Amino acid sequence: MTTAIASPGGLPGPLKGGLLAVAVLGACWGGAIWYWRGAASTPGTVELALVLLALPLALVGSMWFGGKLLARRAAAAPAASASTAVTAAAPAAALPALAIVSSAVRSPYGASAEELAGAIAGNTLRPDLDAELVDDDGFPVAAARCEDAQDEAFQEEMSEWLVQNGMPDLRFGDVQWRALTLGSAVVAELASRAVDLLPAEGKPPVLRLLPSLPADWTLEQRRGAGLWFRHLAASFGWPAAQVVLPEADSALASATASCTQLARTAAKETAPVVALVMACASHIGQDIVDEWAGKGILFTSGRPQGLVPGEGAAGLLLTDARLAQSIAGALFALLDPAEEAPRETATPARQRANPALLGELAQRAGRRGETEMADIAMVVADSGQRQGRTLELMGMVSSAMSQLDESEDVFCVGSASGACGDVPFVTALALAQHGTLVRAAPVLCIGNEDAQGCHAFLLRPPVSDLI
C-alpha cells in the first residue's frame, strides 16, 4: 500500500473552491457597487438579483463544470493512447498457437514450477538481505540468490570441454559462471524430455535451441555458451546435426521475440516445429551492486523503486500444436501469440502506472484466443519490487478480471526472482503453463517490468479439434 503526500504549497480541493467562489462574488459585488455609485438611477430588484446573485452563481457553475470536463478528458487520454499504441502493434496476419509441452525452472525459491508456485502463493515472498553483498555504507542489500548457482565441478567440466573444442582462451567471470550453471541445468532437464518427441521412424525434426543471454556478454561468450548448450542437448539423445543454434547476436533476442518467430515458422512450414527457449542471468556480484548504487538504481529502503539483484534460469519446450496433439497422453498448454505495445518514453522511475494499457492487451489476447475475461482463472506477471509495476498490474486485474482473488490468483514472479534480465518473464510463462494444467482453465501471462514495452500471452488448455 502506498501513501500519498500532498505538496506543501498545495491546497485541498474544497478550500480552493471556496476561495474561488469568494473571489468571484467579491468581483461581481465590487464591480456592481462601483458602477451604481456613478449611475444616475437606482438599481431595481431584478437588477440586484441578476448582478449580485445570478451572475456569481453562473460564473462559479461554469468554472466548476469546465473543470470537470477537462478532468474527464485528461483521464480518458491514457486509455485512448493505450488503445492506439496496441492497435499500431497489432500483427498483420494471424499466427497459430504453439504448445508448451514442458518447462524447467531454477530460481531462488524453487527448482520447478510447482515448487515455485507454492512459494509465491499469497504474494508475500520477498528477497532477504544478502550476507555477501553490501551497499556504499557497508549494510547488506536485499538480493535473490540461488544456492545451486555455485558448482565448481560443473565449471571444471565445461572448461575442459571448451579447451577440447578449440576455445581455450574463453573466460567467464564469477557472475557469468553462476548464470551458466543454472542455465545448463534447465537445458539438460528439458533436453532429457525432448527425446520423447523423436519419431519412431524417419528423420527427426530440427530442435531449435533459442537461448536468451545477458546483453553485457561478449559475442564470443554468447557463442561459447550456445555451443555448450547444444552439446548438452545432443548428449541426451537428440541427433547433434539436428540441434540448431541461431547466430550469436540472436542470443540477445527476448523470449517473446523467439516465440513470435516460432509461430511464424509454424505458419509457413509443414515440418514439425520443436524448440527449446531458455533464459539465464545473474546479478549476484558486488561489482554489479556497486554499479547500480552509483547509478542510483539499487533497491534500498530510501529508494523503493530501485532494482533488487537476482539470478535464475527458466526454459520452455515448445512444439507446434499439431505435433503436441499427435503425442498420446501428452500434457500441454496452448500458447497464443503475444499482444505487445510500447511504453511512454520516460525513465522507469518516472513512468506512470498504466493499467489501461495492460487491460487493452489483455482484451486483445482474450479476443485472439476466443476467451472472455471472466473465464481467466489466473494471472502471472514478471512484476518485481517496484510498486508502480505491481499497482499497474493489480489495477488492471481489479477492473478487467474482478473474479480473481489478488492474493491467490495473481502471481508476481519478479518479487521472488529479483532483476535478472528475461528470466522472470520466462519463469512467469512456466508458472502460467503449470497453472493452466492444474486449473484446466485459461491463464494470462503479463510482462510489464520492461521499461520499453509490455506484452501479454494467453495460455489455455488444448482443444480436441486441432487436427
Side-chain angles (χ1 to χ4, degrees):
M1 183 177 66
T2 58
T3 303
I5 303 177
S7 60
L11 291 174
L15 180 57
K16 187 183 297 184
L19 291 176
L20 179 62
V22 170
V24 171
L25 187 65
C28 291
W29 281 42
I33 293 173
W34 174 83
Y35 173 77
W36 284 327
R37 285 185 64 182
S41 60
T42 303
T45 305
V46 176
E47 289 178 295
L48 288 173
L50 287 175
V51 175
L52 301 183
L53 184 61
L55 180 59
L57 288 177
L59 290 175
V60 172
S62 62
M63 292 180 182
W64 185 80
F65 281 111
K68 288 291 185 180
L69 181 59
L70 290 175
R72 287 185 180 180
R73 289 183 177 179
S81 61
S83 178
T84 303
V86 175
T87 302
L95 296 177
L98 298 172
I100 304 179
V101 297
S102 188
S103 66
V105 170
R106 295 294 184 275
S107 79
Y109 300 100
S112 68
E114 181 179 8
E115 186 177 351
L116 182 58
I120 295 180
N123 286 313
T124 59
L125 198 61
R126 294 294 182 271
D128 297 324
L129 295 178
D130 195 273
E132 300 180 23
L133 305 179
V134 297
D135 60 15
D136 294 338
D137 298 321
F139 294 108
V141 301
R145 178 188 292 266
C146 288
E147 297 300 329
D148 298 331
Q150 189 72 28
D151 190 337
E152 294 182 0
F154 164 76
Q155 295 183 25
E156 293 179 2
E157 178 187 357
M158 183 174 173
S159 298
E160 292 178 3
W161 182 88
L162 290 172
V163 172
Q164 295 169 2
N165 287 270
M167 292 173 281
D169 298 328
L170 186 59
R171 296 289 182 268
F172 295 99
D174 292 340
V175 170
Q176 294 168 325
W177 276 119
R178 297 180 70 88
L180 284 169
T181 301
L182 298 171
S184 297
V186 165
V187 171
E189 183 176 338
L190 292 178
S192 66
R193 300 172 186 172
V195 295
D196 295 335
L197 303 176
L198 289 171
E201 299 178 355
K203 185 178 180 180
V206 171
L207 174 60
R208 292 172 171 84
L209 184 55
L210 303 172
S212 176
L213 303 174
D216 58 353
W217 288 23
T218 66
L219 186 66
E220 292 75 16
Q221 288 171 333
R222 293 199 299 272
R223 178 177 176 273
L227 292 174
W228 165 255
F229 292 149
R230 187 176 72 175
H231 161 72
L232 280 181
S235 68
F236 282 89
W238 203 280
Q242 294 298 101
V243 180
V244 176
L245 274 172
E247 296 295 331
D249 288 339
S250 299
L252 292 173
S254 66
T256 301
S258 296
C259 291
T260 300
Q261 184 57 45
L262 286 172
R264 292 194 182 107
T265 302
K268 65 182 181 180
E269 291 188 8
T270 57
V273 173
V274 183
L276 197 163
V277 176
M278 64 83 63
C280 63
S282 175
H283 289 136
I284 303 298
Q286 188 59 50
D287 291 344
I288 294 178
V289 171
D290 294 340
E291 179 185 352
W292 288 6
K295 293 180 178 179
I297 60 174
L298 179 68
F299 174 85
T300 62
S301 58
R303 194 178 295 114
Q305 296 301 313
L307 301 177
V308 173
E311 64 184 354
L316 308 170
L317 185 59
L318 295 157
T319 71
D320 60 273
R322 288 184 178 275
L323 176 59
Q325 187 79 0
S326 67
I327 302 173
L331 295 176
F332 62 92
L334 291 176
L335 177 70
D336 286 317
E339 297 292 343
E340 303 177 79
R343 281 194 181 275
E344 60 182 357
T345 55
T347 60
R350 294 182 179 274
Q351 285 176 341
R352 296 175 300 173
N354 195 349
L357 178 60
L358 296 187
E360 181 65 22
L361 288 175
Q363 293 287 347
R364 289 184 63 90
R367 288 195 295 269
R368 181 191 284 271
E370 299 181 351
T371 300
E372 299 292 336
M373 292 294 100
D375 296 330
I376 292 177
M378 183 181 183
V379 173
V380 186
D382 64 350
S383 308
Q385 294 294 125
R386 291 180 287 183
Q387 291 182 344
R389 295 294 193 253
T390 304
L391 293 175
E392 179 180 69
L393 176 71
M394 296 304 179
M396 181 274 290
V397 170
S398 63
S399 62
M401 287 162 277
S402 57
Q403 77 276 9
L404 300 183
D405 186 323
E406 293 182 359
S407 64
E408 297 181 0
D409 303 323
V410 183
F411 284 12
C412 296
V413 175
S415 297
S417 64
C420 45
D422 209 23
V423 175
F425 184 68
V426 182
T427 303
L429 282 172
L431 286 181
Q433 183 238 9
H434 172 72
T436 302
L437 297 179
V438 170
R439 303 189 183 210
V443 173
L444 190 67
C445 185
I446 295 289
N448 73 324
E449 190 66 18
D450 186 24
Q452 304 301 318
C454 31
H455 39 268
F457 280 98
L458 181 68
L459 290 84
R460 47 196 173 87
V463 293
S464 59
D465 57 350
L466 285 175
I467 298 180

